[in-house]
Amino acid sequence: MNRPVDPDPRADSPWALRDYALIADGERGALVDPRGGIAWLCAPAWHDDAVFSGLLGGPGRYGVRPADRWNVWGGSYEDGTLVRVGRWVTSDGIVTCREALAAPAGPGRLVLLRQVRAVRGTALVDVDLDVRAGHGRHPMTEVRQEDAIWRARSGPLHVRFSGARDARPDPDGGLRARLRLPQGEARDLVLELSTERRDDPLDAASLWSSTERWWSRAVPDCADTAAPRDTRMAYAVLNGLTSTAGGMVAAVTTSLPERADTGRDYDYRYAWVRDQCYAGVAVAAHGPHPLLERAVGFVADRLLEDGAGLRPAYTVDGGPLPPERELPLVGYPGGGDRTGNRAGRQFQLDVFGEALQLFAAAARHDVLDARAARAAAVAADAVAETWTRPDAGLWELEDRWWTHSRLCCVVGLRDLSRELRTPASADWARLADRVLATTRSRCLHPDGHWRRAADDDGPEAALLLPLARGAVPSDDPAFSATRALVVRRLAADGHVYRFRHGDEPLGDAEGAFLLCGFTMAMAAHAQGRHAEAARWFERTRSACGPAGLFAEEYDVAQRQLRGNLPQAFVHALLLECSARFGGASDGVPSDGW
């Protein structure tokens, strides 16, 4: 057992999850709290230890905030980016802090940019930096000033910090400064953390310029979608969570509770194949943008390496997930403190079906290369080999004959046989028919709806996604009966829950599942119920915090986010719904709302 690291005695209590903002560069991401503190940042890569871990009660901090504590906070993103502008109205002025992780980025070096500006009145701004690598184990050492640059070490990381020439070291190794900015003046603060010593200039202007160019190229306009600004935001989040190696993390954080006192908190700083496919298919619904090709490349590489032994999740560079272990931290209130994830050892059949859908979407846009086509054939062969086996399924539960997993494979096989014309196409179509026929015989309830599993008659919201994507025709009675059952048994207050937890009322065991709200919208839209689809879509996309970020779940009664943040697959399904409902080019004409 690791010896717990004492919480920083100067640390504030954490905020509700809805109040955090995200900055990210693809290789790592930081959560920023309303006080101007970096509450969470792992370095040098997503799955490495945190250097700022205040979110989980650990040491390490980087705060930039007005000295006048009598203030009201706010802020927004620059449209289509994860460049955040925090804003405080104080008793005698207005202060802003523009911040971003510099891009394009590499895995061994991060640069955190912060530009403080006195918008109205003279601003006094406090800066507090204390890098603590290793989840707080390594304080800053060798702190020294070379010209105008502060240098230090924190465990294996080299630290450089510019913009606070007059800072003073703390006894514990950190740095503190108070900036005085006349009205209209700005000050750039540049923090670099790297695995090797660097001596190149920390030129804030050029770093900002390259970051702005990177974002302008990365995120499309999305004017042809149902909700352009929110769609650009969703695309920016997915882009910020996707590494140069192609892997996309499921979320930035670990150990945030899905529900207080339930013990269900997991490490999502890894690339789930399913989530990556959701993101790629969502992007393809709008157009052949770069994130589609990156998703295809990452998933293809994993299939060609592991075949039918494909793991559900990997590190973003394609490595295996580490085993679960406890962290020496207090943990977010109501949550735990752990890294690693047992899902990396499970068999989840549906990931093969989702991969086939991703490859078919790429083929529809003529961006499926020969390597990915081989991977598609591997995935189809894996379905043929494994589809009769029980699996852990979408929700990573016990091994059972889950209906959702089989229907996902039906969709993928059919899509691939239609889009990728090879001698095997007819075999894929026949296999889809065989899987569907067997699943229908085992998993269709006598009342006409799809069961949750062969041995479970309960309602299951996850079934709406393969049904919406064409597992059966849109006018199939079982489709309508299943959607009606989900509305009746799993929906309340305009939100959708995953499944029933025994006899507990909806909302007691867990929050509304935002992925399912968007899939309900897609299912209604697929059946031509466009006004109803719009209602589900609008209700679900309202369940975010002020920064526009979605977690996995939403506590409807308390209007709070639950689970790790931000949840990539929720942003992916928002993007897909908005693209399909708005009539973006995905090869399928839209009838509008």
Side-chain angles (χ1 to χ4, degrees), residues 117-167:
R117 184 178 298 276
V119 177
R120 190 181 73 201
T122 297
L124 292 178
V125 177
D126 287 336
V127 178
D128 185 10
L129 175 66
D130 185 12
V131 179
R132 295 286 184 114
H135 294 304
R137 293 188 187 87
H138 303 296
M140 289 169 62
T141 60
E142 304 174 35
V143 179
R144 63 201 183 279
Q145 196 171 32
E146 297 180 2
D147 297 325
I149 306 293
W150 286 97
R151 286 186 180 270
R153 293 291 300 272
S154 178
L157 298 177
H158 294 259
V159 180
R160 286 199 296 171
F161 184 51
S162 70
R165 178 193 294 266
D166 297 328

Side-chain angles (χ1 to χ4, degrees), residues 325-369:
R325 66 180 176 90
E326 291 187 359
L327 295 175
L329 303 175
V330 177
Y332 188 87
D337 58 335
R338 70 180 70 183
T339 63
N341 198 297
R342 62 185 174 83
R345 301 185 297 275
Q346 290 184 337
F347 166 58
Q348 298 174 16
L349 174 66
D350 69 298
V351 299
F352 295 105
E354 300 295 353
L356 293 171
Q357 293 175 53
L358 171 66
F359 295 141
R364 190 177 305 129
H365 285 294
D366 295 323
V367 294
L368 191 75
D369 61 19

Side-chain angles (χ1 to χ4, degrees), residues 88-127:
W88 297 273
V89 179
T90 69
S91 56
D92 57 2
I94 298 175
V95 183
T96 62
C97 182
R98 187 186 192 217
E99 48 206 351
L101 283 169
R109 176 194 184 225
L110 73 85
V111 178
L112 202 163
L113 304 173
R114 308 185 89 167
Q115 185 180 78
V116 186
R117 184 178 298 276
V119 177
R120 190 181 73 201
T122 297
L124 292 178
V125 177
D126 287 336
V127 178

Side-chain angles (χ1 to χ4, degrees), residues 187-360:
R187 176 77 63 88
D188 283 298
L189 301 170
V190 181
L191 173 65
E192 176 193 75
L193 303 178
S194 61
T195 55
E196 298 178 353
R197 178 187 168 96
R198 299 180 66 98
D199 296 300
D200 50 316
L202 290 176
D203 185 339
S206 63
L207 289 165
W208 274 115
S209 180
S210 65
T211 301
E212 291 159 357
R213 289 194 303 272
W214 187 76
W215 280 110
S216 68
R217 291 193 297 264
V219 177
D221 178 72
C222 303
D224 52 351
T225 64
R229 189 180 183 93
D230 280 3
T231 307
R232 288 190 292 271
M233 178 64 185
Y235 201 107
V237 169
L238 297 177
N239 186 65
L241 300 183
T242 303
S243 73
T244 53
M248 180 193 74
V249 291
V252 173
T253 55
T254 180
S255 302
L256 298 186
E258 294 181 3
R259 190 74 171 178
D261 303 320
T262 64
R264 286 172 25 219
D265 45 17
Y266 307 102
D267 189 350
Y268 281 4
R269 300 171 301 146
Y270 308 108
W272 264 255
V273 173
R274 176 191 305 106
D275 298 25
Q276 190 101 45
C277 293
Y278 285 167
V281 170
V283 170
H286 186 250
H289 304 301
L291 277 184
L292 171 59
E293 294 185 58
R294 291 160 73 184
V296 167
F298 182 81
V299 175
D301 286 346
R302 306 289 77 73
L303 276 162
L304 292 174
E305 290 174 7
D306 293 338
L310 181 74
R311 301 182 183 95
Y314 297 81
T315 60
V316 294
D317 54 5
L321 266 59
E324 288 187 332
R325 66 180 176 90
E326 291 187 359
L327 295 175
L329 303 175
V330 177
Y332 188 87
D337 58 335
R338 70 180 70 183
T339 63
N341 198 297
R342 62 185 174 83
R345 301 185 297 275
Q346 290 184 337
F347 166 58
Q348 298 174 16
L349 174 66
D350 69 298
V351 299
F352 295 105
E354 300 295 353
L356 293 171
Q357 293 175 53
L358 171 66
F359 295 141

